[in-house]
Amino acid sequence: MSRRALRRLRGEQRGQEEPGLGLGLGLDTDPGPQRGPEEPLPPAAGGRGCRGPARPGVSNRFELITTEEPEDEPPPRGERAAARLGEQDVVEGDNNGAGTKEPDGDGQRDREEAEQPDQTPALSNKPRKKKKKRKSKKISAGETLEDNDLEDIDSLLEKIEDTNGLSQQSQGGIITDSRPLLYVEHRNLNPENELKRYFGARAVLGDQRPRQRQRQYVRSTWLTAPKNTWPRYSKTGIAMQLLDTRRGVQHFTFEHHREYQQVQFKFLDAVESMDPNNLVLLLQLNPYHVDSLLQLSDVCRMQEDQEMARDLIERALYSLECAFHPVFSLTSGTCRLDYRRPENRAFFLALFKHLVFLEKRGCPRTALEFCKLILSLDPENDPLCVLLLIDFLALRAREYTFLTRMFQEWESHRNLSQLPNFAFSVPLAYFFLSRQEERSALELSQARERAARLLQLALIMFPSVLTPLLDHCSVQPDARVASHSFFGLNAQISQPPALNQLTALYVERTHALWKDAAVMAWLETNVHEVLRMVDARDPLVEEAEHK
């Protein structure tokens, strides 16, 4: 056995052999130069010295380097002395029996253990131990980072859930008042999100997920999602400019560059030719010309190719959205476009046609969001008259709170009660709110009172709506209602033709919402109350006649 191994077994360093211990290995020993008791020890091999003061209870400061766990406290002196005595006995036994073979093999096993330092924890290498420690520190740091990331993600999810809860509470009128009335949510502009709530993600997406992963990079948009079947997009010559900002409202406009104007002249020639094939040829050369896409969509719709018609409208919206101004916001409700400018009309028409396709597709919530978007672009003039449609979409999407809030905020300056659709849809929304069990008893009673009062006013104001509504619902009125002149044929003949058109539109759209048995019973009660008021010559009846 080498002297170095013996020193490691004893925990000693060179030059610190006790005078009473003889190694007896028959090797030439060189004690080296003698040092005084106060002389410091030379640095260890490799040029590294002992850093820091020696710990109490340690005779050799270099024992801290070769120990397995330097952070642990050293064993007591009595245990260390007993260990050294045991090691001395083992070494002396080895030396005495060096030329003979021990029968029990204990000495051989001791020598094998001494010659295998890797199996002894006390003989482990310092650099190797440091590597292990560094690795463990890295792992622990990574784990702490992952834990912190997970905690951050959890906290974010909790905040999102809290905000969702607030938005749900806002439907009851708590938080929604802080947001603009025509505030548009991005997630509600995607019809797939609404279809997923109805049918599930697997039924809606199908095999689209792997195709989307292999799809090339395209620009992210909110109005529509670009498809793989579309031609590659390139600049078409449309741009949006910011005109001015007045009272926190920004006014924008689309502009056509020279190359787009040349394509526009070709489009006008194709329309005058009355041949849809000319539009197809024009789109092959200019696949994102907006007016050609809108016109060809109408041709496909008349040919009952609804899928192609809808796809062309979405492509037109994608072309227009790629030309948006960086400041133009779809959701704020403070961006305006003037419909009187010809460059802006294509955007209005594309949004309205897309809205109609969404409503036919069975996505009333998404259609309502696009309706709010169209109204927010020019709420004062309302060039496409979406006010005649927004109440129906709100009822179908079960957004009763939005409809009642709109009536409360706009009635003072827009006189929404003068429109038959709002006059009948708002009390119907209050009636549906009065049937929601999650609301308090006070809110339910207030909703019932408002519903009855507003419905009676609507019946007094527009008596010509009742008979066509009952006919579309296949309901036969009772003898008192049928024989009374207030709801008879005279009510329909005496009103202006424009009012007849509005009532016909409303009845045709919303008669399915009135077919419910509870709604019919509620309507019958209020009709009888209105007849009582008419017979009593209530001042409200005379006031309605003057209006």
Side-chain angles (χ1 to χ4, degrees):
M1 180 182 292
S2 63
R3 296 171 59 186
R4 182 179 298 174
L6 288 175
R7 284 198 301 270
R8 288 181 177 177
L9 284 173
R10 295 182 179 182
E12 298 176 350
Q13 296 295 329
R14 177 181 291 181
Q16 288 188 343
E17 296 86 351
E18 296 180 5
L21 293 177
L23 298 177
L25 294 176
L27 301 175
D28 296 336
T29 61
D30 185 8
Q34 300 293 328
R35 293 183 298 273
E38 299 297 328
E39 186 177 354
L41 291 174
R48 294 183 179 180
C50 181
R51 298 180 181 178
R55 295 188 181 182
V58 180
S59 60
N60 181 12
R61 289 185 294 178
F62 288 89
E63 289 178 2
L64 299 176
I65 301 176
T66 57
T67 53
E68 177 67 18
E69 295 294 333
E71 292 85 5
D72 299 337
E73 294 182 359
R77 291 184 179 181
E79 295 180 5
R80 188 168 67 251
R84 287 186 179 181
L85 288 177
E87 292 171 2
Q88 290 174 11
D89 295 338
V90 172
V91 173
E92 288 177 0
D94 293 341
N95 293 334
N96 293 334
T100 61
K101 184 177 181 180
E102 296 181 5
D104 55 355
D106 294 335
Q108 182 70 18
R109 286 194 299 270
D110 295 338
R111 282 192 296 272
E112 290 176 357
E113 293 175 2
E115 291 173 0
Q116 295 178 359
D118 293 340
Q119 298 179 1
T120 307
L123 302 181
S124 61
N125 256 346
K126 176 184 177 183
R128 186 174 179 181
K129 181 60 187 174
K130 280 195 171 183
K131 288 180 182 178
K132 289 182 179 179
K133 285 186 172 296
R134 288 173 185 171
K135 187 176 181 181
S136 63
K137 288 181 180 179
K138 289 179 181 179
I139 294 174
S140 62
E143 290 175 355
T144 55
L145 288 175
E146 291 178 358
D147 294 340
N148 293 335
D149 294 339
L150 290 175
E151 291 177 0
D152 295 340
I153 293 173
D154 292 338
S155 61
L156 289 175
L157 290 176
E158 290 177 359
K159 292 180 180 179
I160 292 173
E161 291 177 358
D162 294 340
T163 55
N164 289 338
L166 290 175
S167 64
Q168 292 175 1
Q169 292 179 0
S170 67
Q171 295 178 1
I174 300 176
I175 303 297
T176 310
D177 298 336
S178 62
R179 298 190 304 184
L181 177 66
L182 300 179
Y183 176 82
V184 178
E185 296 183 10
H186 279 147
R187 60 186 179 90
N188 291 329
L189 293 174
N190 188 359
E192 289 187 356
N193 295 334
E194 186 173 4
L195 293 175
K196 287 176 188 177
R197 291 196 294 268
Y198 296 151
F199 307 106
R202 181 172 298 180
V204 175
L205 296 178
D207 298 333
Q208 295 181 8
R209 291 182 179 178
R211 294 179 184 176
Q212 289 180 357
R213 292 175 184 172
Q214 298 174 2
R215 188 179 64 189
Q216 297 179 357
Y217 173 76
V218 292
R219 181 172 178 175
S220 177
T221 53
W222 292 110
L223 296 178
T224 57
K227 300 178 181 179
N228 298 329
T229 57
W230 291 357
R232 186 172 182 178
Y233 177 79
S234 59
K235 291 186 177 180
T236 58
I238 302 180
M240 180 182 281
Q241 298 295 331
L242 175 62
L243 296 179
D244 57 356
T245 302
R246 298 190 299 267
R247 298 178 181 179
V249 178
Q250 299 170 331
H251 296 263
F252 295 86
T253 183
F254 283 100
E255 291 184 352
H256 294 170
H257 296 168
R258 183 176 298 274
E259 59 271 15
Y260 192 87
Q261 292 177 2
Q262 296 176 357
V263 180
Q264 193 76 7
F265 291 141
K266 296 179 181 179
F267 162 73
L268 295 177
D269 295 337
V271 172
E272 291 180 358
S273 67
M274 303 295 291
D275 188 0
N277 294 323
N278 293 333
L279 292 175
V280 176
L281 294 176
L282 183 61
L283 282 176
Q284 289 179 355
L285 299 176
N286 305 277
Y288 286 95
H289 183 254
V290 178
D291 289 319
S292 299
L293 291 170
L294 297 178
Q295 191 68 30
L296 190 59
S297 174
D298 291 338
V299 175
C300 294
R301 182 175 53 83
M302 288 185 289
Q303 295 177 354
E304 297 184 356
D305 190 356
Q306 302 294 332
E307 187 67 24
M308 179 58 69
R310 181 165 57 88
D311 186 79
L312 293 173
I313 294 297
E314 291 179 358
R315 200 198 300 183
L317 284 176
Y318 178 72
S319 176
L320 290 168
E321 187 173 2
C322 290
F324 279 175
H325 192 275
V327 186
F328 185 80
S329 174
L330 294 171
T331 61
S332 63
T334 58
C335 297
R336 302 287 185 264
L337 285 175
D338 190 1
Y339 184 79
R340 292 172 295 181
R341 295 180 66 97
E343 296 86 353
N344 298 335
R345 292 178 185 175
F347 187 52
F348 281 89
L349 296 177
L351 288 175
F352 186 81
K353 293 181 179 181
H354 186 58
L355 179 153
V356 174
F357 280 117
L358 289 173
E359 195 273 328
K360 292 181 179 179
R361 193 181 176 186
C363 301
R365 183 66 183 89
T366 310
L368 174 63
E369 213 69 17
F370 274 91
C371 192
K372 291 161 60 177
L373 175 59
I374 296 174
L375 188 59
S376 67
L377 295 177
D378 195 355
E380 297 298 330
N381 299 319
D382 188 17
L384 299 184
C385 298
V386 293
L387 283 178
L388 302 178
L389 181 65
I390 194 170
D391 61 303
F392 166 65
L393 296 176
L395 290 175
R396 281 204 59 192
R398 299 181 180 181
E399 293 292 326
Y400 310 126
T401 306
F402 165 76
L403 182 57
T404 55
R405 181 193 171 193
M406 185 177 188
F407 181 76
Q408 293 173 3
E409 294 186 5
W410 285 26
E411 170 62 20
S412 59
H413 66 283
R414 298 297 294 270
N415 294 325
L416 296 181
S417 60
Q418 303 297 319
L419 296 174
N421 58 319
F422 272 93
F424 282 89
S425 294
V426 172
L428 187 60
Y430 275 115
F431 175 75
F432 287 133
L433 287 175
S434 66
R435 301 179 64 187
Q436 294 180 353
E437 298 179 354
E438 62 270 13
R439 297 181 177 272
S440 62
L442 179 60
E443 291 178 349
L444 295 179
S445 63
Q446 291 178 353
R448 282 192 294 268
E449 293 176 1
R450 291 178 182 176
R453 178 170 52 84
L454 291 176
L455 181 60
Q456 293 170 14
L457 291 176
L459 290 172
I460 294 174
M461 192 74 183
F462 305 101
S464 60
V465 176
L466 180 63
T467 302
L469 182 61
L470 295 179
D471 291 341
H472 280 77
C473 295
S474 302
V475 174
Q476 186 68 26
D478 56 9
R480 182 185 177 188
V481 176
S483 61
H484 205 286
S485 60
F486 187 75
F487 294 110
L489 186 60
N490 188 25
Q492 301 180 18
I493 297 176
S494 61
Q495 64 185 7
L499 186 56
N500 283 330
Q501 185 69 23
L502 293 178
T503 56
L505 286 173
Y506 175 74
V507 171
E508 185 66 29
R509 284 173 180 164
T510 61
H511 69 273
L513 300 174
W514 294 84
K515 284 185 177 181
D516 186 63
V519 176
M520 274 296 166
W522 168 67
L523 176 61
E524 182 182 5
T525 303
N526 288 279
V527 167
H528 290 164
E529 181 65 24
V530 169
L531 290 179
R532 186 194 62 80
M533 296 171 63
V534 171
D535 294 338
R537 296 183 179 180
D538 194 279
L540 288 176
V541 180
E542 297 180 0
E543 182 181 355
E545 290 178 356
H546 291 298
K547 288 183 180 180

